[in-house]
């Protein structure tokens, strides 16, 4: 059983007009918010090769989540049976990592404007990856 | 700029016949390895609702990665121009989180057999999420 812990250091932060969880859509494709990914100067060389129009996966640290929750009512519906958090996209989970698929709208130095992004203002960014072509897209 | 660090505690570990990076395919769909996700007893209630046949996203901590690498030659080809790690799926990156889309083949208590998974034996698991239906699949 793995006992060792690992330390994540944010590579940037999300700037968005979305400032609280109450107004946040539950998934990016239900909202359509535009947001800026502001990377730290230290990691800026890691952005080389990203172009406007690219599809990216943004990983965030959902800093307001509860880490001791293991089961939830899906989408907050109390009449739905409890489900394990790993069978849902609940924000609350042991390691609250958000997974967001976005498109790049604009690039300004170490800032990327993307859409749609349902994470709120101030959410730490922990990784960015390109979307790989799906097998069935080939 | 976010200064605070966050601590990740693995929720389980990967058991695979793949034991070293040299033999590891670069992406899951290039290999087709089967592997077991062995969750810790503490988080087992979080698996309720996962069924055989489900498509999941497994997030791992790529414990052998180099965290100080910001640019790489894509797919190790030295004749290709350097790219930022955030424009590639390089294992080496500031927060080495692996993203794997798999299908559940078998469930035994807190263990899930999945395929395809290119992560090696002993890789820590940090989160599991269901694959959401893509907009263009609707």
């Amino acid at each position: 059983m793995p006992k060792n812990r690992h330390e994540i250091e944010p590579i940037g932060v999300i700037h968005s007009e979305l400032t609280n969880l109450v107004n946040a859509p539950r998934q990016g494709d239900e909202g359509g918010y535009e947001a800026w990914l502001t990377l730290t100067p230290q990691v800026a060389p890691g952005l080389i090769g990203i172009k406007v129009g690219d599809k990216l996966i943004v990983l965030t640290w959902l800093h307001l989540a509860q880490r001791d929750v293991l089961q939830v009512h899906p989408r907050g519906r109390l009449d739905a049976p409890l489900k394990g958090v790993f069978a849902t996209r609940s924000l609350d989970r042991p390691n609250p990592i958000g997974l967001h698929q976005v498109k790049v709208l604009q690039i300004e130095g170490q800032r990327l404007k993307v859409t749609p992004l349902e994470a709120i203002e101030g959410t730490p960014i922990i990784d960015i990856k390109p979307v790989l072509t799906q097998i069935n897209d080939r």
Side-chain angles (χ1 to χ4, degrees), chain A residues 63-131:
Chain A
H63 56 307
L64 302 182
Q66 294 180 53
R67 302 186 64 174
D68 56 353
V69 171
L70 288 173
Q71 297 194 334
V72 293
H73 294 285
R75 300 181 68 87
R77 292 180 192 141
L78 294 181
D79 55 338
L82 279 171
K83 257 190 168 178
V85 290
F86 305 128
T88 79
R89 287 292 188 108
S90 165
L91 306 183
D92 299 324
R93 47 184 56 246
N95 294 307
I97 296 171
L99 185 65
H100 320 269
Q101 183 170 327
V102 301
K103 195 169 91 171
V104 179
L105 299 177
Q106 195 177 335
I107 302 177
E108 283 183 5
Q110 71 217 37
R111 303 196 319 145
L112 307 178
K113 190 178 187 180
V114 301
T115 193
L117 191 61
E118 81 280 20
I120 65 169
E121 163 68 24
T123 302
I125 302 165
I126 59 177
D127 199 10
I128 296 174
K129 299 179 190 293
V131 172

